[in-house]
Amino acid sequence: MKPIRIALTKGRLEKKTVELFEKMGFDCEQLHHKGRKLILEIPNQNLEVVLAKAADVITYIEHGVCDIGIVGKDTIIEYGGSFFEVTDLHFGACRFALAGKKGFDFYAGHAEKTIATKYPNVTRKFFDDKGIDVKIIKIEGSVELAPLLGLSDAIVDIVETGSTLKENGLEVYEDVAQISARLIVNTVSMKIYQTEIENIINQIEQVLRESEKK
Ligand code: PRP
């Protein structure tokens, strides 16, 4: 049988995912010493791991070139897509928030506000739900710079510890959504490799239950 291929989000979620795999008894040697290798093996498990940017994890799962993905709810909300969202992994917990310069009264006045964000769809929906028109400017990183430079009135961004906001004289005006890492599965893979995939999901859920007890 071909290996089950798992797409992991690089960066913030990576360390926690490797920890999860180790608790499942997986040998993560290749994941720890990956060098420039892109497709990594988990010995004795018939599993392959691909490390990818968050949005690409969704693309690989949707197209069925990877069977299982681990990705943040932020990316799922922003990009959507057709796959099964199976399990809330609880790690990578953070939130989307509307934030900006300290003391600024965001909802005061009638002038249209400008929002900088890496997440234009999340931002559009948040303000559409409130019936408020805003101008959205897409930024690729360090979104907090936008209000500091005078590019925007506020940002919609991820807040984890809050230290980036604090160190830059910014504050949260309002929470937008809670976020954590999710396990997603390609819909066809779920049928073809049902036993293998359910087995992996069960192992993950068992580790999650055990860590909840601690
Ligand atoms: C994210 C987010 C904030 C920061 C929040 O950026 O966009 O900038 O983390 O974390 P904190 O509340 O713990 O300070 P990331 O580090 O992923 O990099 P980026 O800004 O280059 O996208």
Side-chain angles (χ1 to χ4, degrees), residues 42-189:
I42 306 268
N44 311 316
Q45 296 288 338
N46 202 28
L47 292 177
E48 279 179 355
V49 173
V50 172
L51 282 159
K53 284 203 164 192
D56 295 340
V57 168
I58 289 190
T59 304
Y60 296 151
I61 297 300
E62 276 209 286
H63 287 266
V65 296
C66 293
D67 306 296
I68 297 176
I70 293 181
V71 67
K73 183 71 178 175
D74 51 324
T75 311
I76 297 176
I77 305 175
E78 178 64 22
Y79 294 95
S82 152
F83 44 76
F84 294 129
E85 185 183 323
V86 181
T87 306
D88 182 347
L89 299 169
H90 296 293
F91 59 76
C94 50
R95 59 193 165 131
F96 272 130
L98 174 69
K101 281 189 185 167
K102 244 187 198 154
F104 175 63
D105 187 355
F106 181 81
Y107 290 107
H110 295 290
E112 188 184 60
K113 301 287 193 310
T114 300
I115 312 292
T117 187
K118 268 187 278 186
Y119 301 89
N121 295 326
V122 171
T123 305
R124 176 70 58 212
K125 181 165 187 316
F126 177 68
F127 285 103
D128 278 356
D129 288 349
K130 290 176 176 288
I132 297 174
D133 285 333
V134 291
K135 181 181 171 198
I136 295 171
I137 298 179
K138 174 97 195 285
I139 295 289
E140 293 299 330
S142 299
V143 178
E144 292 85 355
L145 263 176
L148 298 175
L149 297 177
L151 178 69
S152 71
D153 297 296
I155 60 174
V156 167
D157 197 23
I158 287 172
V159 178
E160 190 179 0
T161 61
S163 49
T164 311
L165 292 180
K166 200 168 169 220
E167 285 184 30
N168 292 289
L170 305 171
E171 65 180 359
V172 169
Y173 301 146
E174 199 174 339
D175 283 347
V176 174
Q178 295 298 317
I179 294 162
S180 56
R182 304 297 158 106
L183 190 82
I184 62 174
V185 179
N186 172 270
T187 49
V188 177
S189 303

